[in-house]
């Protein structure tokens, strides 16, 4: 699943905003903080995301799998050693700015999927059938916040 937005800013500037994972709390409606032991985030870097949605609070372990400035930034999310999702951003320059695409892939498949689904429900309060719609709405919010910050 993916969502895109056009932003009147350079791709490298937007990449830097997203790749500074410690600032993700400014963009995401669920992420509140990120702890990155050794900044800056680069391919292979691990970080912890602290998230909140209403009364639900949870953390995730993340690993950067793609960091290609100014083209793409992607990280994988896990919890208790189980794969959860892959989140990423692509930056495509346009005549007057950049088309930013946020993408999400659910990795709760195969062995351990049922446990990961249950953990997702318990910690986030989101039923599996509603997850895609909720994430799509969150992606739109994230991209609009990024646009507002970049365009002033």
């Amino acid at each position: 699943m993916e969502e895109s937005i056009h932003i009147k800013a350079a791709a490298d500037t937007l990449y830097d905003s997203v790749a500074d994972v410690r600032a993700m709390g400014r963009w995401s409606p669920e992420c509140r903080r990120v702890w990155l032991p050794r900044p800056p985030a680069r391919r292979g870097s691990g970080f912890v995301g602290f998230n909140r949605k209403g009364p639900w609070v949870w953390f995730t372990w993340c690993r950067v799998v793609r960091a290609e400035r100014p083209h793409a930034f992607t990280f994988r999310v896990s919890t208790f050693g189980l794969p959860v999702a892959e989140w990423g951003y692509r930056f495509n320059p346009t005549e007057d700015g950049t088309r930013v695409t946020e993408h999400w892939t659910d990795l709760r498949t195969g062995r351990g999927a049922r446990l990961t689904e249950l953990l997702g429900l318990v910690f986030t309060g989101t039923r599996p059938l509603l997850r895609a719609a909720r994430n799509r709405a969150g992606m739109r919010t994230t991209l609009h916040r990024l646009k507002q910050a970049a365009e002033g």
Side-chain angles (χ1 to χ4, degrees), residues 1-4 90 101-104 136 139:
M1 171 174 43
E2 58 185 49
E3 287 287 326
S4 296
R90 292 188 304 272
T101 300
E102 183 175 7
H103 56 91
W104 169 76
R136 186 176 295 281
M139 292 162 76

Side-chain angles (χ1 to χ4, degrees), residues 66-138:
R66 188 171 180 199
E68 299 170 11
R69 185 179 191 264
H71 306 290
F73 184 80
T74 304
F75 57 93
R76 290 209 170 167
V77 179
S78 64
T79 188
F80 300 106
L82 299 167
V84 173
E86 182 173 280
W87 289 90
Y89 300 85
R90 292 188 304 272
F91 307 90
N92 297 310
T94 64
E95 192 173 296
D96 62 341
T98 305
R99 181 159 191 79
V100 180
T101 300
E102 183 175 7
H103 56 91
W104 169 76
T105 304
D106 194 343
L107 299 178
R108 288 169 267 235
T109 61
R111 247 185 112 170
R114 283 188 160 171
L115 176 57
T116 310
E117 290 284 355
L118 177 62
L119 291 171
L121 176 61
V122 169
F123 288 112
T124 72
T126 301
R127 293 183 318 192
L129 292 175
L130 300 177
R131 184 176 297 114
R134 195 164 299 252
N135 283 352
R136 186 176 295 281

